[in-house]
Amino acid sequence: MVLQVSAARMSNTGGLSHKMPVVPEELLSTLRQEVFALQNRRKELLARLEETNTSLVEVQTLLTRKTSQAHTVQNLLAPVSRLPDEVLLAIFEEAVRSQEQGQVTRTEIAISYTSHHWRQVTVNAPRLWNSLCIRAEVPIAMLQIYLSRSANIPLTIEFRERETAWPGADKRSMAHLGSALDAIWPSVPRWRRIVVLHRSYPYFTHVFRELRKVAPLKMLQSISMKSPGVCGPCPLLLGDSAPALESLEVEDMPLPPPVTQTFDAARYSVAGLTTLRLRVRGMRAGSSHAATDPSAFRALINSAPMLSALEIYGQPINFGQERANEEDVLSLEIPRLRTLVLHPGTQHPRDLRHFISVIKAPTLRHFELVYPDNTPPGQDVSDLLFDPFPLARFPSVETVRLHNAVHADTVAASMNAFPVAARIKLGNTDASYLFENPTFSSTCSPWTPSHIQHLTVISPLHNTLLQMYEWLLSAASQGHRLPIITLEGPIRAIDCPAFLTQSVKLASCTEVRLCGIDLSMSDRSLVARV
């Protein structure tokens, strides 16, 4: 069957009579010549390309060198390049010191990348690299660079959470913390300040548990703990973990109870503590968890016999139980206290009166009471500044700051409470009450220019300045020595045209200093006279 089909096909095509086309030899020769010519052309172009690339590399290298030289010459022409390295370093140090705390992009890193000269200055300046930030975004290698460049100077160690939260951030922070601690443990003898800012309470406790393992931290002078949202007590170092500790700041966290299985008031590392700063920000939901029980506060105070400065912001201590049993409340003795700063953060603080009534500080030299900068006056505590009346509770106070702390009915009592105050700083509301009656202020009040050396008024209004001028005239007529006057802003002269005029009138009586005053678009001739 196959043979029959094949025979049929052969018969249809005429068998083998079909002939293949014949290619002339001349055509083949021509094609070969063209191929050879193209190959030669390709070789020539490749050679030229190689020569061009070589020239390009040479030109690029020369261009880079010349550009660098041009930049160097340009930098030399800039005024900043004429500064000695010592001055340049002082500027860099101020820039690093004033940068926002905790920012990921560090100023010292940015400066070191600016120019070759600046890099040489910064890399060889240990004081620019003495602050290490432990957070998930900072590679371990970067920490090692800081440790190397900081040489042997004291260090600030900051433990911070990620700049932006994301799922699983806590686990990564804990994992990074372990690696970071392994890298920085050799530098523990150089630690001078520790800052912990984190929302995770396990993170806090882990940090301080590890610190107790490597104790003592012989150079540690300051601890700052801030943890918005944490409801557990701050994990203080114990025993002799930090024998040189001088400053403790706790924000939005309660102090630990005085006696538990974990914390023992008798073993706080605060025997040398001189400054205690407690702060609760705002009245947001959950802020009550940050309030410290008065027993814990008293235990810490009693464990710090050297305490000389106490600063309280907001309402971090819950004296509610003590207020309910005021007859049984003992006084709070702080024999070496010299500075007391109270910023209640509200017009009507809950426990301020109770606190002032129990505190005993015979050596107090600086008293500061600042209410929010609102028009209504704050809660009156002037009657508690005597123990008993007319004996001043703090008779040795030399520096006073009051802001929205008095009103017209109690200004005299507030003034008599500080009979030897030489440096006084007042908010505009308080100053207006003080100078409202210059005759009274100059004759009956102990706040006369005879003992006031420096008087500062914050954001004074036109009427207050006028009253101050009349007060100065009255005091001068009685032969009193007039104090130095400081007018502190924020004030824009363009918004208060009469400000400079009144300032000049004050300057005609005594020395006047301006601080925080925007003098733009004002009469500079008046400024020159102040």
Side-chain angles (χ1 to χ4, degrees):
M1 183 65 179
V2 175
L3 293 176
Q4 292 178 355
V5 172
S6 299
R9 289 179 177 176
M10 292 179 62
S11 62
N12 292 335
T13 58
L16 299 175
S17 61
H18 178 71
K19 297 181 179 179
M20 297 295 293
V22 178
V23 179
E25 293 184 2
E26 295 81 359
L27 178 59
L28 178 60
S29 176
T30 301
L31 290 174
R32 287 176 176 175
Q33 291 176 1
E34 292 177 353
V35 170
F36 181 75
L38 291 173
Q39 290 176 341
N40 290 337
R41 177 61 175 168
R42 178 173 175 273
K43 291 180 181 180
E44 292 176 1
L45 292 175
L46 290 175
R48 291 173 57 185
L49 179 60
E50 183 178 358
E51 181 181 356
T52 300
N53 286 334
T54 302
S55 300
L56 179 61
V57 172
E58 294 175 353
V59 171
Q60 185 62 48
T61 303
L62 183 60
L63 176 61
T64 301
R65 185 166 62 250
K66 293 297 182 182
T67 300
S68 177
Q69 293 175 355
H71 288 166
T72 301
V73 174
Q74 183 179 10
N75 291 337
L76 291 175
L77 296 176
V80 69
S81 297
R82 303 170 193 171
L83 297 176
D85 287 353
E86 294 79 6
V87 176
L88 198 61
L89 179 57
I91 296 174
F92 293 163
E93 289 178 351
E94 180 60 28
V96 171
R97 185 165 46 248
S98 60
Q99 68 181 320
E100 183 180 353
Q101 293 185 351
Q103 65 182 29
V104 177
T105 304
R106 304 288 296 177
T107 300
E108 58 271 19
I109 295 293
I111 293 175
S112 68
Y113 288 160
T114 302
S115 69
H116 178 73
H117 180 207
W118 284 21
R119 182 173 181 81
Q120 291 300 314
V121 173
T122 56
V123 168
N124 295 288
R127 290 193 298 271
L128 299 180
W129 309 94
N130 66 345
S131 181
L132 279 69
C133 185
I134 314 298
R135 70 192 315 168
E137 297 97 329
V138 180
I140 303 300
M142 182 62 68
L143 300 178
Q144 295 171 338
I145 290 175
Y146 272 72
L147 289 175
S148 174
R149 293 179 180 176
S150 61
N152 294 316
I153 67 174
L155 297 174
T156 294
I157 309 297
E158 300 182 10
F159 297 88
R160 293 180 176 270
E161 62 184 343
R162 288 182 56 88
E163 189 173 31
T164 55
W166 61 287
D170 288 344
K171 292 183 178 180
R172 180 169 179 180
S173 293
M174 294 296 291
H176 180 269
L177 175 62
S179 300
L181 290 176
D182 291 339
I184 65 177
W185 281 146
S187 67
V188 162
R190 293 197 283 141
W191 290 14
R192 180 172 58 187
R193 182 167 183 254
I194 294 176
V195 177
V196 186
L197 176 57
H198 210 283
R199 296 178 183 272
S200 171
Y201 190 64
Y203 186 98
F204 260 90
T205 55
H206 181 73
V207 167
F208 282 89
R209 182 168 59 248
E210 294 299 314
L211 289 178
R212 286 193 287 272
K213 292 180 181 179
V214 298
L217 293 85
K218 295 183 178 180
M219 286 191 62
L220 187 62
Q221 298 178 359
S222 173
I223 298 178
S224 178
M225 291 180 278
K226 306 176 184 180
S227 184
V230 167
C231 58
C234 63
L236 292 177
L237 293 171
L238 303 180
D240 297 325
S241 299
L245 186 65
E246 296 178 354
S247 175
L248 175 63
E249 178 179 5
V250 181
E251 180 174 313
D252 291 329
M253 299 180 70
L255 295 173
V259 178
T260 66
Q261 294 180 351
T262 306
F263 301 102
D264 184 351
R267 299 176 58 226
Y268 282 153
S269 287
V270 294
L273 193 70
T274 60
T275 301
L276 175 62
R277 186 177 296 111
L278 302 178
R279 187 192 306 266
V280 171
R281 293 188 178 275
M283 297 296 293
R284 64 184 183 281
S287 61
S288 60
H289 295 293
T292 294
D293 185 84
S295 61
F297 176 70
R298 287 175 176 272
L300 182 59
I301 295 296
N302 293 332
S303 300
M306 305 301 294
L307 189 68
S308 61
L310 176 60
E311 302 179 17
I312 298 180
Y313 300 86
Q315 302 187 76
I317 308 168
N318 183 10
F319 283 106
Q321 185 176 359
E322 285 195 353
R323 283 189 288 112
N325 304 283
E326 290 189 357
E327 295 181 358
D328 302 328
V329 175
L330 299 176
S331 60
L332 181 60
E333 302 280 350
I334 314 181
R336 296 178 180 269
L337 190 68
R338 298 180 65 86
T339 299
L340 178 60
V341 176
L342 303 172
H343 289 228
T346 176
Q347 288 293 335
H348 301 284
R350 184 176 57 245
D351 298 310
L352 177 63
R353 288 183 60 85
H354 177 79
F355 174 78
I356 293 181
S357 67
V358 300
I359 189 171
K360 302 291 184 181
T363 63
L364 194 67
R365 295 292 187 272
H366 176 98
F367 180 83
E368 184 171 324
L369 178 57
V370 177
Y371 287 94
D373 191 10
N374 298 326
T375 302
Q379 177 180 338
D380 179 26
V381 295
S382 58
D383 59 314
L384 299 177
L385 298 178
F386 300 91
D387 185 29
F389 187 85
L391 300 179
R393 179 180 293 274
F394 310 118
S396 301
V397 167
E398 300 171 349
T399 304
V400 177
R401 180 184 176 187
L402 300 175
H403 201 160
N404 291 338
V406 299
H407 48 80
D409 295 336
T410 61
V411 63
S414 298
M415 291 186 294
N416 283 282
F418 307 105
V420 299
R423 302 179 67 87
I424 301 172
K425 189 172 186 178
L426 302 172
N428 175 74
T429 304
D430 309 87
S432 64
Y433 293 137
L434 173 63
F435 302 113
E436 194 171 29
N437 189 331
T439 302
F440 171 81
S441 298
S442 298
T443 58
C444 301
S445 170
W447 279 15
T448 60
S450 60
H451 68 84
I452 299 177
Q453 300 176 9
H454 201 139
L455 176 63
T456 300
V457 182
I458 305 172
S459 302
L461 298 179
H462 172 266
N463 290 339
T464 302
L465 294 176
L466 182 59
Q467 293 166 358
M468 291 176 62
Y469 175 65
E470 295 174 352
W471 178 72
L472 290 173
L473 290 179
S474 176
S477 67
Q478 300 178 38
H480 292 301
R481 183 189 61 178
L482 301 184
I484 298 173
I485 302 293
T486 296
L487 304 179
E488 183 176 310
I491 293 178
R492 295 202 318 164
I494 190 174
D495 296 333
C496 184
F499 173 81
L500 289 177
T501 302
Q502 296 299 330
S503 300
V504 171
K505 293 177 66 175
L506 292 178
S508 66
C509 299
T510 186
E511 179 182 350
V512 176
R513 302 173 182 175
L514 303 181
C515 178
I517 309 298
D518 183 2
L519 300 174
S520 58
M521 300 181 65
S522 61
D523 188 346
R524 298 289 176 175
S525 63
L526 289 176
V527 178
R529 295 165 57 189
V530 178

